[in-house]
Amino acid sequence: MSTVVDDELWSAIGDPIRRTMIDLLLSDGPGTATSLSRQLPVTRQAVSKHLAVLDRVGLIHAEPAGRERHYQVDEAQLARAVAQLSAVGSTWDARLRRIKRIAETVERHRTNEGS
Amino acid sequence: MSTVVDDELWSAIGDPIRRTMIDLLLSDGPGTATSLSRQLPVTRQAVSKHLAVLDRVGLIHAEPAGRERHYQVDEAQLARAVAQLSAVGSTWDARLRRIKRIAETVERHRTNEGS
DNA sequence: GTTGAGTGCAACCAAAGGTTGCGAAAGGTG
DNA sequence: CACCTTTCGCAACCTTTGGTTGCACTCAAC
């Protein structure tokens, strides 16, 4: 059975620019498209598109303030995303461990019978 | 400071089809482009391209067998990828926790002084 | 009012994921 | 051997996505 994950959430945090944006919003607090673009290697418009994607999947939400739009991380949603990350990680981890154990078992059998 | 991760590894496992492919290779053992495409909603050629991507970043490696090419997961590399996943997850988790703690502290102050 | 910073929208470009079509190599069978 | 089937790789093409430039709009401040 394949791992059950929300593909939209995954693809949202799969992009390196978007991951950095989340990092920035977490470490520096709420920011705007312009303020984020100053710390990123892409234009404001590109940042704006990424913000739209993150907003659409609910990882961040905007708060209009005068002529600016302040974006900030939705903690509950990010927590959900982190949970999915670690879920996939631990699934693979468990399978790797199982494969290793089987390999060792086979090795043991081979050694015993090969004498 | 932004989280330090190998962007190539991330984008490799960021694709839902590629994640499923890794799942299949882990659960069913080595497979070919054709055998994988039978269990996936895309054509053999698409699977072949994904296999090339995963091969390029080292998550899997091919073993020619007659007219077939058997692909299997490189356990060490996948373990590295899993480590990076959990690293990002725990970084965000820690920041969420810190934000929550600060929020609670502020709340405590507000309540005390607001009496 | 005029000026300037911040935004949104539209057009355009390049890369990535996906498809179809075809030709080549390896295995099975008459 | 000849034939047929399976698997594969390559090339052409389409669509989506990330990125850019250019322009018009809004709101705050002078």
Side-chain angles (χ1 to χ4, degrees), chain A residues 54-71:
Chain A
L54 291 173
D55 196 2
R56 195 154 38 76
V57 301
L59 278 173
I60 64 176
H61 69 93
E63 179 189 349
R67 74 182 158 183
E68 301 182 348
R69 279 176 75 85
H70 290 246
Y71 290 88

Side-chain angles (χ1 to χ4, degrees), chain B residues 28-45:
Chain B
D28 302 353
T32 68
T34 304
S35 73
L36 287 173
S37 70
R38 281 195 220 102
Q39 315 177 54
L40 290 168
V42 294
T43 61
R44 174 185 64 84
Q45 285 80 352

Side-chain angles (χ1 to χ4, degrees), chain A residues 75-90:
Chain A
E75 304 174 14
Q77 283 293 99
L78 183 59
R80 220 184 98 214
V82 169
Q84 295 202 352
L85 275 191
S86 59
V88 171
S90 57

Side-chain angles (χ1 to χ4, degrees), chain B:
Chain B
M1 182 150 31
S2 97
T3 312
V4 180
V5 287
D6 187 327
D7 278 353
E8 279 203 332
L9 252 185
W10 256 95
S11 72
I13 60 180
D15 186 283
I17 297 273
R18 288 197 281 263
R19 270 200 314 282
T20 305
M21 285 169 57
I22 291 176
D23 273 343
L24 289 173
L25 289 178
L26 281 178
S27 60
D28 302 353
T32 68
T34 304
S35 73
L36 287 173
S37 70
R38 281 195 220 102
Q39 315 177 54
L40 290 168
V42 294
T43 61
R44 174 185 64 84
Q45 285 80 352
V47 171
S48 195
K49 287 186 187 178
H50 285 303
L51 285 171
V53 172
L54 290 173
D55 197 2
R56 195 153 39 76
V57 302
L59 277 174
I60 64 176
H61 70 91
E63 179 190 347
R67 74 180 157 182
E68 301 183 348
R69 280 176 73 84
H70 290 246
Y71 290 89
Q72 66 183 29
V73 174
D74 183 315
E75 304 175 15
Q77 283 293 100
L78 182 60
R80 220 184 98 214
V82 170
Q84 294 201 353
L85 275 191
S86 60
V88 171
S90 57
T91 297
W92 285 348
D93 207 45
R95 288 198 182 145
L96 286 177
R97 242 192 281 285
R98 230 189 72 226
I99 289 171
K100 206 174 217 168
R101 211 190 54 225
I102 291 173
E104 282 165 2
T105 304
V106 170
E107 174 64 19
R108 222 175 356 261
H109 283 185
R110 201 185 55 71
T111 309
N112 288 346
E113 294 166 2
S115 62

